[in-house]
């Protein structure tokens, strides 16, 4: 009996730690509500173990067993409700609550009628095993939603625990097996809640990584078009410059200012203008290579930095391609809009050795295009101003 009490004391203590940890995790904003249900579940598991330690001095073995199984049924109730919340399986809730109500009905019926304890224990084992097999199935089916290895381990542990519950009548009525049986059960329960806690933490980690990714997207990408923004363009330019330093290779900066865009905003509305910008951005993206840089730096202003160019003929070809994409009609909500683009070009190292200087020279070349009638391109020649 001393070993039996020791197992329950150790089990209750560790259950308490898991209950506090899961309760704390559930208080973190936007944490899945399943963690709170699992905290309640392990709390009732702890209460069941304390019942076996404290109540023998006050009640008969039969009464203690009814109270113990009541707490265990509450533990299974919140254990599965937590899984339904965590994996978004709300449609399981009502049938499962009916199942739990039947379990409590079984306890009450046997308590009031004092039926055969072996039959009662067999029924309790079936109820608990059914709940755990259901949890095992859910974890297996949802194994790719968080971490398939942890959820597969959870499903395995739940299945083993379910099989262990089917031996509950043996555990209750064979004295020498009681302490080892409870030790095995306690170990499996602790492993089960360790897995569930890990699942919560992994989802929390996933949220943090997604938040970090979104923050980086906001910091380095234009929220409307998804292109690089001016800040990130500056960072990428240093990397592009390394490629341009290779022998006989050039780098060209294309400063693109859309023509006839302001009337679209004024007449059709900013929401239509936004869709036009998205279309132009997509065209520029697919017209550039993976080694090039494509950024939106203002309302209707874009920059393309082309790297690893062999000669100025390639620069002319890219300019024609970009201009063509900007001059194609854009259709939004069955309305067709005709734009153009004034493109100024500066070349590294001939017209500048840093981004600021190249941007300035390309900007001057772009304004010269606008003065000459728009919808064209020009390489900075040192004379444009």
């Amino acid at each position: 009996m001393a070993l039996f009490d020791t197992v329950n004391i150790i089990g209750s203590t560790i259950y308490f730690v898991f209950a506090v940890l899961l309760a704390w995790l559930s208080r973190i904003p936007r944490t899945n509500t399943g963690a709170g249900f699992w905290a309640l579940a392990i709390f009732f598991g702890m209460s069941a173990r304390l019942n076996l330690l404290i109540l023998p001095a006050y009640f008969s073995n039969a009464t203690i067993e009814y109270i113990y199984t009541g707490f265990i049924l509450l533990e299974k109730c919140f254990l599965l409700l937590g899984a339904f919340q965590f994996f978004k399986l709300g449609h399981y809730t009502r049938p499962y609550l009916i199942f739990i109500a039947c379990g409590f009905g079984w306890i009450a019926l046997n308590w009031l009628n004092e039926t055969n304890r072996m039959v009662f224990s067999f029924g309790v084992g079936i109820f608990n095993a059914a709940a755990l097999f259901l949890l095992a199935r859910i974890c297996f089916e949802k194994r790719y939603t968080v971490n398939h290895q942890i959820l597969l381990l959870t499903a395995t542990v739940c299945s083993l625990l379910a099989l262990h519950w089917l031996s509950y009548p043996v555990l209750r009525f064979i004295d020498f097996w009681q302490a080892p049986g409870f030790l095995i059960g306690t170990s499996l329960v602790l492993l089960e809640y360790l897995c569930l806690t890990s699942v919560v933490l992994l989802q929390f980690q996933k949220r943090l990584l997604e938040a970090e990714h979104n923050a980086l997207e906001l910091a380095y990408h234009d929220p409307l078009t998804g292109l690089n923004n001016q800040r990130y363009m500056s960072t990428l330019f240093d990397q592009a410059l390394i490629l341009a330093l290779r022998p006989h290779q050039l780098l060209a900066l294309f400063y693109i200012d859309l023509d006839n865009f302001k009337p679209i905003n004024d007449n059709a509305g900013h929401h239509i203008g936004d869709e036009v910008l998205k279309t132009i951005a997509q065209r520029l993206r697919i017209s550039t290579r993976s080694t090039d840089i494509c950024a939106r730096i203002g309302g209707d202003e874009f920059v393309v930095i082309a790297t690893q160019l062999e000669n100025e003929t390639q620069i002319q070809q890219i300019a024609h391609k970009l201009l063509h994409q900007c001059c194609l009609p854009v259709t939004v909500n069955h309305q067709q809009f005709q734009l153009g683009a004034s493109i100024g070009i500066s070349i590294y190292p001939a017209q500048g050795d840093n981004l600021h200087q190249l941007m300035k020279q390309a900007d001057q070349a772009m304004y010269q295009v606008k003065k000459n009638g728009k919808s064209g391109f020009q390489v900075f020649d040192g004379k444009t101003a």
Side-chain angles (χ1 to χ4, degrees):
M1 191 58 67
L3 177 60
F4 178 73
D5 290 343
T6 301
V7 169
N8 286 320
I9 290 170
I10 295 173
S12 299
T13 303
I14 302 178
Y15 287 5
F16 175 75
V17 173
F18 275 112
V20 171
L21 177 58
L22 285 166
W24 174 72
L25 289 173
S26 71
R27 300 292 296 172
I28 297 174
R30 294 178 55 232
T31 296
N32 192 295
T33 53
F37 282 101
W38 287 335
L40 282 172
I42 194 68
F43 172 79
F44 284 119
M46 178 190 71
S47 301
R49 293 307 177 95
L50 291 175
N51 159 77
L52 296 177
L53 287 169
I54 298 171
L55 297 188
Y58 305 100
F59 299 100
S60 66
N61 288 339
T63 301
I64 293 170
E65 184 173 11
Y66 292 132
I67 297 172
Y68 169 78
T69 53
F71 277 126
I72 289 297
L73 205 56
L74 283 171
E75 185 250 339
K76 296 302 181 296
C77 174
F78 287 100
L79 178 66
L80 267 296
L81 288 177
F84 301 156
Q85 289 293 316
F86 193 89
F87 296 112
K88 297 179 174 57
L89 299 170
H91 57 284
Y92 281 3
T93 301
R94 181 174 293 180
Y96 185 68
L97 288 177
I98 294 173
F99 172 78
I100 291 295
C102 292
F104 278 109
W106 175 257
I107 295 174
L109 180 65
N110 283 270
W111 196 344
L112 293 174
N113 294 324
E114 297 183 355
T115 54
N116 186 284
R117 287 182 61 199
M118 179 63 77
V119 174
F120 170 71
S121 299
F122 185 72
V124 169
I126 289 176
F127 271 106
N128 282 277
L132 287 163
F133 277 131
L134 175 59
L135 180 57
R137 176 185 171 185
I138 290 171
C139 291
F140 180 78
E141 291 179 347
K142 298 293 183 178
R143 61 191 182 278
Y144 294 112
T145 59
V146 181
N147 180 293
H148 74 282
Q149 293 175 328
I150 290 293
L151 287 177
L152 279 176
L153 178 59
T154 308
T156 302
V157 172
C158 289
S159 298
L160 292 174
L161 193 55
L163 294 173
H164 181 69
W165 266 105
L166 290 176
S167 70
Y168 181 68
V170 177
L171 183 147
R172 295 304 292 166
F173 293 99
I174 298 180
D175 291 339
F176 77 86
W177 179 245
Q178 194 170 66
F182 268 90
L183 179 60
I184 293 171
T186 300
S187 301
L188 289 172
V189 170
L190 291 177
L191 187 54
E192 173 190 42
Y193 280 96
L194 177 62
C195 290
L196 293 175
T197 304
S198 299
V199 168
V200 175
L201 291 172
L202 285 169
Q203 191 188 58
F204 187 63
Q205 179 191 49
K206 183 180 177 182
R207 269 181 46 207
L208 289 177
L209 292 174
E210 288 176 350
E212 181 183 33
H213 174 75
N214 292 335
L216 289 173
E217 285 290 316
L218 290 173
Y220 296 125
H221 292 85
D222 173 53
L224 177 65
T225 63
L227 297 180
N228 301 315
N229 60 20
Q230 189 161 0
R231 178 190 301 176
Y232 197 34
M233 181 184 69
S234 302
T235 302
L236 292 174
F237 178 78
D238 294 333
Q239 301 173 20
L241 209 56
I242 296 174
L243 298 176
L245 290 175
R246 294 176 180 175
H248 311 299
Q249 289 202 339
L250 304 173
L251 178 151
L253 187 148
F254 302 82
Y255 196 117
I256 305 167
D257 187 277
L258 297 181
D259 299 325
N260 307 319
F261 178 73
K262 188 175 183 299
I264 297 175
N265 263 346
D266 294 340
N267 300 325
H270 287 281
H271 64 290
I272 296 294
D274 287 347
E275 293 303 316
V276 170
L277 289 175
K278 289 179 185 178
T279 300
I280 295 295
Q282 178 63 15
R283 290 178 181 176
L284 294 177
R285 183 187 288 111
I286 63 177
S287 299
T288 52
R289 301 163 300 170
S290 60
T291 55
D292 298 336
I293 300 168
C294 191
R296 180 188 178 212
I297 61 170
D300 59 351
E301 296 176 322
F302 300 85
V303 167
V304 170
I305 300 175
T307 63
Q308 298 176 291
L309 303 176
E310 301 295 334
N311 50 57
E312 293 196 19
T313 301
Q314 277 187 283
I315 296 174
Q316 299 281 334
Q317 291 172 346
I318 293 171
H320 277 293
K321 187 176 183 180
L322 295 175
L323 180 62
H324 175 70
Q325 291 296 329
C326 292
C327 291
L328 290 174
V330 177
T331 302
V332 179
N333 291 347
H334 307 295
Q335 300 180 71
Q336 194 171 82
F337 303 97
Q338 187 69 52
L339 294 90
S342 299
I343 304 176
I345 307 167
S346 58
I347 304 172
Y348 174 93
Q351 282 111 32
D353 60 2
N354 60 73
L355 180 60
H356 175 74
Q357 191 174 10
L358 290 170
M359 288 278 289
K360 180 180 178 181
Q361 314 293 38
D363 183 49
Q364 290 182 15
M366 180 270 293
Y367 273 107
Q368 191 63 36
V369 174
K370 284 192 176 292
K371 287 181 182 179
N372 294 335
K374 301 181 180 181
S375 288
F377 62 86
Q378 181 172 323
V379 177
F380 178 76
D381 59 6
K383 300 177 182 180
T384 52

